[in-house]
Amino acid sequence: MLPLHNPNGLAISPGMSPRLILASGSPRRRELLREARIEFELVVSDIPEVALPGEQPDAFARRMARAKASAVATQHPAHYVLGADTVVALDGTIFGKPNDVTDAQRMLSQLAGRTHTVFTGVALASPDGQVDDFVVGTQVTLRAVCADDIAAYVATGEPLDKAGAYGAQGGAWSFIEKLDGSYTNVVGLPVEQTVALLRRRGVPGLPA
């Protein structure tokens, strides 16, 4: 990786050949890309994640992904920039990251015993100025978790930076009764579909 030059990302030299930049601060997305053996640099986007009035969850995830990718692409137009945003939706209501412990407990209490949808929007800005995007949805059913189990999980601090206040790859795995669709999408990045897009656009640094 290139040397760190500010808290928002990595220094990228103007004369570098095109590289893939991940415009996300999510450690889960970084890990998923590393597990897929994809080479990337990191420049975190600071786009506010605020839904528009009446905006549908899938449209919100797509718009945020495009906004993150486009914002970083403006700074680094010679490179490919990957943006993503994940939201949890129940009956059309968006569950983003909880504001605090109480909010996390509220979210999990509402999701317990219900089936919700996890949407991840993915956008790729290319050096030619084109921005490709897509949204993947995964149905997740949580078992009827009791208040004590929710409180114990929230007390670990794990849910506080995650959409819907839970991480499928962490302590909330035991809460999941059924998952229909992409597991990596629930973690934060639908890897299979993302790799297909990167290959289609000729992004360098992909595994053979």
Side-chain angles (χ1 to χ4, degrees):
M1 300 291 280
L2 296 170
L4 191 67
H5 85 113
N6 65 60
N8 290 325
L10 299 174
I12 296 180
S13 303
M16 285 180 62
S17 59
R19 301 289 298 273
L20 176 65
I21 298 172
L22 175 62
S24 172
S26 166
R28 277 80 59 188
R29 294 190 184 112
R30 295 199 295 270
E31 187 60 30
L32 287 170
L33 288 180
R34 292 189 184 111
E35 289 176 355
R37 295 184 295 116
I38 296 172
E39 298 176 5
F40 66 96
E41 311 298 342
L42 181 66
V43 179
V44 179
S45 169
D46 59 358
I47 296 294
E49 299 179 2
V50 180
L52 301 174
E55 189 170 30
Q56 294 300 305
D58 56 340
F60 172 60
R62 184 191 299 268
R63 180 174 63 83
M64 285 292 94
R66 286 185 67 97
K68 292 175 183 180
S70 297
V72 173
T74 299
Q75 305 169 37
H76 304 286
H79 300 277
Y80 295 88
V81 181
L82 181 67
D85 190 73
T86 301
V87 300
V88 167
L90 177 66
D91 298 334
T93 298
I94 296 172
F95 288 63
K97 297 173 184 176
N99 297 321
D100 51 31
V101 167
T102 300
D103 198 29
Q105 291 177 328
R106 175 191 64 81
M107 288 184 182
L108 286 169
S109 296
Q110 290 182 323
L111 295 173
R114 304 283 304 279
T115 297
H116 62 271
T117 305
V118 178
F119 290 107
T120 298
V122 178
L124 179 69
S126 300
D128 63 4
Q130 180 172 330
V131 180
D132 300 275
D133 62 49
F134 63 86
V135 179
V136 173
T138 300
Q139 298 288 108
V140 180
T141 302
L142 298 189
R143 63 181 178 85
V145 189
C146 71
D148 287 345
D149 286 346
I150 290 175
Y153 174 58
V154 172
T156 68
E158 182 182 285
L160 298 181
D161 69 337
K162 296 173 177 60
Y166 75 91
Q169 76 284 7
W173 174 249
S174 63
F175 294 175
I176 297 177
E177 184 175 282
K178 182 180 178 183
L179 191 152
D180 185 9
S182 168
Y183 166 74
T184 59
N185 179 58
V186 179
V187 176
L189 188 71
V191 173
E192 182 178 354
Q193 295 90 334
T194 299
V195 171
L197 172 58
L198 298 180
R199 291 193 185 282
R200 190 165 68 248
R201 294 295 289 159
V203 175
L206 302 184

